[in-house]
Amino acid sequence: MNGSHLSHRAKAIRPSPTLTVSALAGEMIDRGLDVVNFGVGEPDFDTPQYIKNAAKKAVDDNFTRYTSSSGILELREAIAEKLWRDNGLICNPRDILVSPGAKASIINILLAVCDPRDEVLIPAPYWVSYTSQVEMVDGYPVLLPTQEEQDFKITAEQLDNQLRELSNPKALILNSPNNPTGSVYNARELEDIGKICLKYNILIISDEIYEKLIYDNLKHVSIASISPAIRENTILINGVSKAYAMTGWRLGYAAGPTEIIKMASRIQSHTTSCVNSITQKAAVVALREDDGSVEKMRQTFEKRRNFLMKSLQEIPHVRCCKPGGAFYAMPNVSHYLMENKRNIRNSQSLCEYLLKEYHVAIVPGSAFGAPDYVRFSYANSLENIEKGLHRFAEGLSSLL
Ligand SMILES: Cc1ncc(COP(=O)(O)O)c(C=O)c1O
């Protein structure tokens, strides 16, 4: 079989660079090597017991059949309650679509709204799947570069200038708290951005999957809550993966305008049908009950972040914005990509060198459209963070 049968779509898709580092680190670990893995994009905690109990009950109750494609009503009601409680949004359960992960929610929405060559704006650094998903629906990703000095956030003015240049702008994908930078947009910034989106009549796809992981007493603000007009133009994306340590359970959701949700739901009915029925029952309990685990995990992440930031500051020539949320930090390593003993010139080669010779796995910033940076995930124990940072510092210093 040769490649001639492959679609242009398949050929255009690049392998996920974050998974590539994890895979290589995984192989080294399997070979018995002691690798500190900062590449992981998921909490290292177990799913809280009260949620697991709900899943066991669902199995015992034989809740094991197909459900309605958009998700069981009980869950969509629990999501509507959550949107009111946490985000001040009144949402009809009819306007919510439950999908196998927020990743699936986003592509369902893109399939429902994008025509070929529609332009979708994506602030860079960006989560790797956004660009690939836009390409998969034959849309065109337009990157909006951000600066470290502005905490990696786009400005309304920048968005306005870019939109003026485009011929088919369809949507902006906003992600706060952000993967990979940890940046968090405040209400004022969101309002300014929302107004520009209204001016050009483009949709906002607001990925809020890291909502619960936010530090320094910052408060997560959903752009949908800024004004009724912005809300009508926004599809809010969220899920249970990161907040409840449920990455393998696969459940995300989209909430937004009736027609878009209805069409996205129709698309899902012809692809994955519905989310695993047991996961849906577990998610109802995750959202409605609270045994304190989410807050405990958040506090642990905050301690790790503080420790990681302190350790990074001690490394010469490394600069890092303080991440306000999620569990990532993205230090600038450009100094080490200039003159060095190994002739390393980009973040990909730097990460390969650090992994192979210092047994520390970090993701190259080039994966996220930020070639002068590397991404650390601090979903790892304090002990490992200390060990890994020591290796990172040693690896860097021996380059000079
Ligand atoms: C920004 C962002 N959005 C969405 C997702 C996907 O989450 P899910 O597990 O719900 O598909 C991730 C996972 O890494 C993410 O980082």
Side-chain angles (χ1 to χ4, degrees), residues 41 100-104 106 127 130 175 179 207 209-210 239 241-242 247 250-252 328:
K103 199 180 256 186
I106 299 168
W127 179 48
Y130 295 146
N175 174 216
N179 175 9
D207 181 349
I209 192 86
Y210 293 100
S241 286
K242 316 286 177 173
T247 47
R250 308 312 300 133
L251 191 139
Y328 309 103

Side-chain angles (χ1 to χ4, degrees), residues 53-312:
N53 291 344
K56 288 179 194 166
K57 182 167 183 317
V59 174
D60 290 340
D61 291 348
N62 293 308
F63 193 75
T64 53
R65 302 188 195 282
Y66 290 132
T67 72
S68 111
S69 183
S70 49
I72 54 174
L73 181 60
E74 188 189 11
L75 174 57
R76 284 180 290 119
E77 283 171 350
I79 294 168
E81 288 159 20
K82 179 257 171 265
L83 293 173
W84 169 242
R85 197 171 57 233
D86 295 344
N87 312 107
L89 297 167
I90 298 173
C91 188
N92 189 322
R94 179 196 59 194
D95 299 333
I96 294 171
L97 168 62
V98 178
S99 299
K103 199 180 256 186
S105 304
I106 299 168
I107 197 146
N108 283 331
I109 295 298
L110 291 172
L111 282 165
V113 301
C114 281
D115 282 316
R117 289 180 297 286
D118 273 354
E119 293 147 334
V120 178
L121 292 108
I122 302 173
Y126 50 83
W127 179 48
V128 291
S129 291
Y130 295 146
T131 45
S132 293
Q133 289 200 345
V134 169
E135 283 163 357
M136 275 196 271
V137 303
D138 287 336
Y140 186 72
V142 178
L143 300 181
L144 291 165
T146 65
Q147 312 304 325
E148 188 181 330
E149 295 72 27
Q150 286 168 330
D151 204 12
F152 296 111
K153 292 191 261 191
I154 55 163
T155 62
E157 191 191 358
Q158 177 189 13
L159 182 61
D160 196 357
N161 290 339
Q162 180 69 74
L163 280 164
R164 212 175 292 137
E165 303 292 315
L166 300 181
S167 44
N168 277 328
K170 171 59 66 143
L172 164 72
I173 304 185
L174 206 59
N175 174 216
S176 174
N178 186 273
N179 175 9
T181 63
S183 298
V184 175
Y185 285 83
N186 63 36
R188 186 61 214 269
E189 292 160 341
L190 293 172
E191 182 177 355
D192 292 347
I193 290 170
K195 282 183 183 159
I196 302 295
C197 293
L198 288 180
K199 175 173 162 191
Y200 291 88
N201 191 27
I202 64 160
L203 280 171
I204 302 164
I205 300 175
S206 177
D207 181 349
E208 302 177 18
I209 192 86
Y210 293 100
E211 167 182 23
K212 297 282 179 195
L213 302 176
I214 191 159
Y215 317 118
D216 305 323
N217 296 317
L218 289 175
K219 182 160 168 23
H220 170 77
V221 180
S222 170
I223 193 165
S225 69
I226 298 286
S227 74
I230 293 176
R231 178 157 178 215
E232 272 173 38
N233 256 31
T234 301
I235 295 126
L236 184 155
I237 306 286
N238 207 331
V240 297
S241 286
K242 316 286 177 173
Y244 301 94
M246 290 177 73
T247 47
W249 297 66
R250 308 312 300 133
L251 191 139
Y253 55 87
T258 310
E259 270 309 294
I260 296 177
I261 294 296
K262 192 167 128 196
M263 286 306 156
S265 176
R266 197 174 284 176
I267 288 163
Q268 175 162 292
S269 76
H270 292 296
T271 54
T272 48
S273 292
C274 64
V275 171
N276 169 336
S277 55
I278 299 153
T279 294
Q280 291 192 54
K281 280 286 188 186
V284 171
V285 172
L287 292 169
R288 283 200 169 138
E289 294 176 19
D290 180 4
D291 72 346
S293 344
V294 174
E295 174 57 14
K296 230 185 264 165
M297 291 191 270
R298 193 200 65 77
Q299 287 176 10
T300 307
F301 278 128
E302 185 159 3
K303 274 192 204 125
R304 293 167 174 181
R305 181 208 59 164
N306 294 344
F307 181 72
L308 176 68
M309 289 308 293
K310 197 173 142 285
S311 311
L312 284 171

